[in-house]
Amino acid sequence: MRPIRPRLALLGAALFAATALALATPATAAADTTAAPTVEEQRLDEAMPQEILRRSGFDDAAPNFARALAGVGSPAEAERVIAHEGGHLWQRAVDRVQGRGPAGGDLSRDDDRPLYWARLGMTRALGQWQPGFPLPEARRAALLTTLERTSRGEDSLDLPAGRHIKRIVVTGFDPFQLDDDVRRSNPSGAAALALDGTTIHTDNGPARVETAVFPVRWTDFADGTVERTLLPAFQSGPRRVDAYLTVSQGRVGRFDVERTNGAWRGGYPDNANLSRTETVPIPADVPTPRPQPQWTTTTLPYDKIVTANTGPTPVYDHTEVTEIPAGATTPVVRPNGPTPGSTARAGGGGDYLSNEIAYRATLLRDAVGLKAPGGHLHTPVLQFGPDNTDPATGQITDPDFVHNREAITAQVRSILTVVAATTR
């Protein structure tokens, strides 16, 4: 996922935002403890998000959640209710995309945006909830984390055991850069919803795919949401992954398999309108190599991916990085990857959260000794039709928009099939 920059048209994408966790603590059960809406939640009141919810049938998610909270009598019950409601939202979104149950409206089933906007309605309802019992700030924050994790599939990577089937984890991202165009969808999130719980058949046997969708927020990543989600699947055991693929939106008209990932945050604003410019921070409580490396490398079969007939859009082995060479102070672009001893300033996937999820996943892979194909894939930019490009006057969807998203998802599935065929 890459931020848009002039002339480059690069997009970025990519855990539990501190701003979203900053909820008031009730002094007493009767105190007014409502929290101000977050930056993301404030966008929810715009006309187009409301239309997306209405035309998908997901406009009932937040009101139903608020009613469920109203009947809660204790923090323990709140945890159970919130986990159930968050998991239900995730499964409802997966089912809609995969064609199960009613569509709920005329919005195309492949759309990832109902999940995003419905979740924000639920997090806002949680922020406004005034329970009839004291709820310390730390416990309220934990409840919000539960809602985030369960509604993103982060706690439900239900990989099967046994040698008869391969196990693959795929991740996507929320829509982003919504202040520029609140209509935006993220094809990586759409692909994740389409693939969750599915089975890919290859000459090497079947492969089960489990997915999750991550927020586009710097703070959540610093808090370790990627590592906490992936670690159970990466650790040794009968359900250990045989391959993984982190996916985000990249450049116009091409897929990129990112060869190298860098330990640098470039500071582009996230969905909370926060910026971070620093070395990628790794939580102290997760396995990680020491000292922290500047670079990590894909183990995806990039040579096979780029030569396979996976679909109409070209796929590239992308090797370029930006580094500060050893002994130097000025960043330079290296077309063929980093030089020894250099300091990262951008991986192949840039310096936004797509590079960061790739860096974190491959760093965790190396820390736990996982020997499996894994790395990052950038999709093409998801574009509206030529008569629907102005966010001020355009529609939330059009036939080209739907076709483009469906085509991207289909090619992600084909690329994943190539990856699955290379697993042991």
Side-chain angles (χ1 to χ4, degrees):
M1 182 170 58
R2 304 178 178 202
I4 294 174
R5 301 187 189 278
R7 299 181 66 83
L8 293 180
L10 300 181
L11 295 174
L15 275 235
F16 319 121
T19 54
L21 297 179
L23 301 174
T25 302
T28 68
D32 181 359
T33 61
T34 59
T38 66
V39 168
E40 284 186 281
E41 291 165 359
Q42 290 174 39
R43 300 186 186 105
L44 184 61
D45 292 326
E46 298 183 33
M48 288 184 177
Q50 290 300 311
E51 183 180 351
I52 289 167
L53 290 172
R54 185 174 62 255
R55 292 176 61 181
S56 62
F58 276 55
D59 53 348
D60 64 355
N64 289 344
F65 179 64
R67 283 191 289 271
L69 286 178
V72 166
S74 69
E77 185 181 1
E79 178 73 25
R80 291 192 297 272
V81 168
I82 290 169
H84 175 268
E85 294 295 321
H88 175 70
L89 179 66
W90 170 256
Q91 192 58 53
R92 181 180 175 184
V94 169
D95 287 346
R96 186 177 192 275
V97 169
Q98 296 185 15
R100 292 185 289 271
D106 67 341
L107 198 66
S108 64
R109 279 188 175 266
D110 69 301
D111 206 312
D112 61 304
R113 297 172 296 176
L115 172 63
Y116 176 72
W117 293 113
R119 182 192 303 113
L120 287 175
M122 292 169 67
T123 61
R124 185 166 67 177
L126 180 56
Q128 294 173 344
W129 178 45
Q130 297 184 64
F133 51 86
L135 189 65
E137 181 179 358
R139 190 63 182 268
R140 187 184 287 267
L143 292 175
L144 179 58
T145 296
T146 295
L147 178 56
E148 287 278 351
R149 285 183 60 77
T150 55
S151 65
R152 295 179 174 282
E154 293 176 9
D155 70 331
S156 57
L157 299 179
D158 188 19
L159 296 169
R163 296 182 179 180
H164 65 287
I165 192 166
K166 304 301 181 183
R167 293 162 288 273
I168 301 177
V169 167
V170 176
T171 68
F173 274 100
D174 286 346
F176 67 110
Q177 294 185 316
L178 299 169
D179 289 334
D180 296 333
D181 189 345
V182 77
R183 304 175 300 163
R184 281 183 171 143
S185 162
N186 195 320
S188 70
L193 291 172
L195 288 165
D196 188 54
T198 63
T199 299
I200 292 176
H201 296 280
T202 75
D203 292 340
N204 290 343
R208 171 68 172 267
V209 183
E210 291 289 322
T211 73
V213 173
F214 285 103
V216 183
R217 296 190 297 248
W218 293 111
T219 301
D220 297 60
F221 274 47
D223 288 343
T225 187
V226 172
E227 290 87 351
R228 282 194 294 272
T229 299
L230 296 181
L231 182 57
F234 280 20
Q235 288 178 317
S236 296
R239 301 178 189 274
R240 193 180 207 182
V241 295
D242 296 291
Y244 72 89
L245 187 69
T246 57
V247 187
S248 65
Q249 183 175 241
R251 297 192 272 189
V252 174
R254 60 184 285 169
F255 283 88
D256 285 298
V257 182
E258 305 297 353
R259 183 83 73 89
T260 306
N261 319 296
W264 185 250
R265 303 174 136 194
Y268 191 85
D270 63 9
N271 275 354
N273 288 342
L274 296 177
S275 299
R276 294 289 183 267
T277 305
E278 59 188 352
T279 299
V280 170
I282 304 299
D285 61 346
V286 302
T288 192
R290 301 291 184 190
Q292 181 178 349
Q294 288 294 302
W295 308 100
T296 62
T297 304
T298 189
T299 48
L300 290 173
Y302 50 85
D303 51 345
K304 292 182 172 62
I305 293 172
V306 301
T307 57
N309 181 20
T310 58
T313 304
V315 185
Y316 294 89
D317 170 22
H318 189 227
T319 60
E320 180 181 284
V321 301
T322 302
E323 68 173 16
I324 299 176
T329 58
T330 303
V332 297
V333 175
R334 298 292 191 194
N336 297 314
T339 58
S342 66
T343 301
R345 282 299 175 266
D351 57 12
Y352 198 40
L353 287 162
S354 58
N355 168 75
E356 184 157 332
I357 197 171
Y359 177 81
R360 288 180 181 277
T362 48
L363 194 67
L364 185 66
R365 175 203 67 196
D366 296 343
V368 299
L370 174 63
K371 306 297 183 184
H376 194 78
L377 177 72
H378 263 123
T379 75
V381 173
L382 176 58
Q383 296 178 300
F384 288 96
D387 298 325
N388 190 30
T389 58
D390 186 349
T393 60
Q395 304 299 309
I396 63 168
T397 190
D398 62 62
D400 287 342
F401 184 66
V402 174
H403 171 76
N404 291 340
R405 187 169 51 212
E406 290 176 339
I408 292 171
T409 293
Q411 195 159 350
V412 170
R413 184 182 284 109
S414 293
I415 290 169
L416 195 61
T417 300
V418 176
V419 176
T422 66
T423 60
R424 295 190 297 273

